[in-house]
Every structure is written in structure tokens, then in C-alpha cells.
Amino acid sequence: MANLQLDDVDLSLDTVCYHGKGAKDRRVRLGPRTARAVSRYLRARSGHKGSGLPHLWLAVRGAQPLTGHGIKLMLKRRGLRAGVDGVHAHRWRHTYAHEWKLAGGDTGDLMLVLGWTSDDMPRRYGASAAAERAQQVQARLGIGERV
């Protein structure tokens, strides 16, 4: 996320071109609320000292990009302020995978969306939700309830 450039954002399609590990690029869809927030950010960004930089995210002070370390510190501070312990960027990938699977999303599609090539990744990320999903399926199927 820290390396996103202005040219990576396409608000006409509500997408961002994300450059992932292993030089894997993929187009990521933004939800309507996120697209509106990015649009508002871009308007505010235009008045920033560093507005001429190609980087999407700018540091609060000075004409410099916001680095990965800066994002890490910002999330930690905001988490503490909100009373939420252990806030970090990777937590959202776990939550996303968990919610995707709870909603009945296909594992192959999840792999494409998150840029995974190994079947190990959905298992690792979905492990925290596996028991909860299994209990929901059991309740929905109602096997044993019709005896």
C-alpha cells in the first residue's frame, strides 16, 4: 500500500492497480465508500506540500511520501487511541479472508483477489474462522435435527 502511485488509482472504474510480491500486479476493486474516501483524500492531498510527488500517500509533515513504516506507526497509534490492541495492516487480510469465507465466497476467487498462488495461504488465513464457519454450516444443514 505504501508504494501506490497516483497513476495506480482509477476512480472512473473505482479500482487501484496494486503491485504485489513477486512483481504480481492486479487491479483491486474499491467499494463505494472507499472510493469516496479516496476521492476526498485526493482533493485534500492537492493542497499538501508534497502534492507534486507521484506517491499516493503523503506524510503529514513535509513534502515526502508516507512510508510503510509510517503506515505501521499510524495504525498502531490509531488503534491505541480507539482502545483496540494489536492493530496492524496485515490484520485486515486475515479479517477479509475470514469474512469472505463466512459469506460463502469461493476459495479460488479469494486467492485471485488477494494475489495468492499457493493453496496454503487460504488455509492459513482462514484457520481462525474455520471452526466458526463449520458450526454455521452445521446449523444451516440441520443434519440430525430431522430425526
Side-chain angles (χ1 to χ4, degrees), residues 101-116:
K101 294 301 286 180
L102 281 178
D106 178 73
T107 299
D109 291 341
L110 176 64
M111 289 175 64
L112 287 171
V113 167
L114 294 181
W116 294 333

Side-chain angles (χ1 to χ4, degrees), residues 18 24 26-28 91-130 133:
Y18 182 76
K24 292 185 287 186
R26 67 184 180 282
R27 188 122 319 254
V28 178
R91 188 172 179 174
W92 276 277
R93 286 180 74 82
H94 285 275
T95 302
Y96 190 89
H98 175 92
E99 293 295 327
W100 180 283
K101 294 301 286 180
L102 281 178
D106 178 73
T107 299
D109 291 341
L110 176 64
M111 289 175 64
L112 287 171
V113 167
L114 294 181
W116 294 333
T117 55
S118 166
D119 291 337
D120 293 337
M121 296 310 290
R123 275 194 294 278
R124 182 180 307 155
Y125 278 76
S128 64
R133 288 193 312 270

Side-chain angles (χ1 to χ4, degrees), residues 36-50:
R36 281 192 302 275
V38 170
S39 180
R40 283 192 306 270
Y41 169 77
L42 290 173
R43 283 193 299 278
R45 184 193 179 285
S46 67
H48 189 279
K49 290 179 194 175

Side-chain angles (χ1 to χ4, degrees), residues 3-147:
N3 295 324
L4 287 174
Q5 306 288 299
L6 286 171
D7 291 343
D8 295 330
V9 178
D10 185 345
L11 289 178
S12 66
L13 297 174
D14 289 346
T15 62
V16 173
C17 183
Y18 182 76
H19 312 286
K21 291 180 182 176
K24 292 185 287 186
D25 289 351
R26 67 184 180 282
R27 188 122 319 254
V28 178
R29 185 186 152 304
L30 302 174
R33 289 176 59 194
T34 303
R36 281 192 302 275
V38 170
S39 180
R40 283 192 306 270
Y41 169 77
L42 290 173
R43 283 193 299 278
R45 184 193 179 285
S46 67
H48 189 279
K49 290 179 194 175
S51 63
L53 293 172
H55 305 85
L56 177 61
W57 308 116
L58 301 177
V60 173
R61 289 183 230 134
Q64 55 191 344
L66 182 61
T67 64
H69 184 67
I71 291 172
K72 178 181 177 178
L73 292 175
M74 177 189 64
L75 289 173
K76 184 176 182 175
R77 279 194 306 266
R78 290 183 180 187
L80 290 172
R81 223 180 308 151
V84 180
D85 211 19
V87 173
H88 54 86
H90 221 67
R91 188 172 179 174
W92 276 277
R93 286 180 74 82
H94 285 275
T95 302
Y96 190 89
H98 175 92
E99 293 295 327
W100 180 283
K101 294 301 286 180
L102 281 178
D106 178 73
T107 299
D109 291 341
L110 176 64
M111 289 175 64
L112 287 171
V113 167
L114 294 181
W116 294 333
T117 55
S118 166
D119 291 337
D120 293 337
M121 296 310 290
R123 275 194 294 278
R124 182 180 307 155
Y125 278 76
S128 64
E132 184 179 342
R133 288 193 312 270
Q135 289 175 357
Q136 288 181 356
V137 170
Q138 180 186 25
R140 181 175 48 82
L141 295 176
I143 295 173
E145 298 300 319
R146 297 180 296 271
V147 177

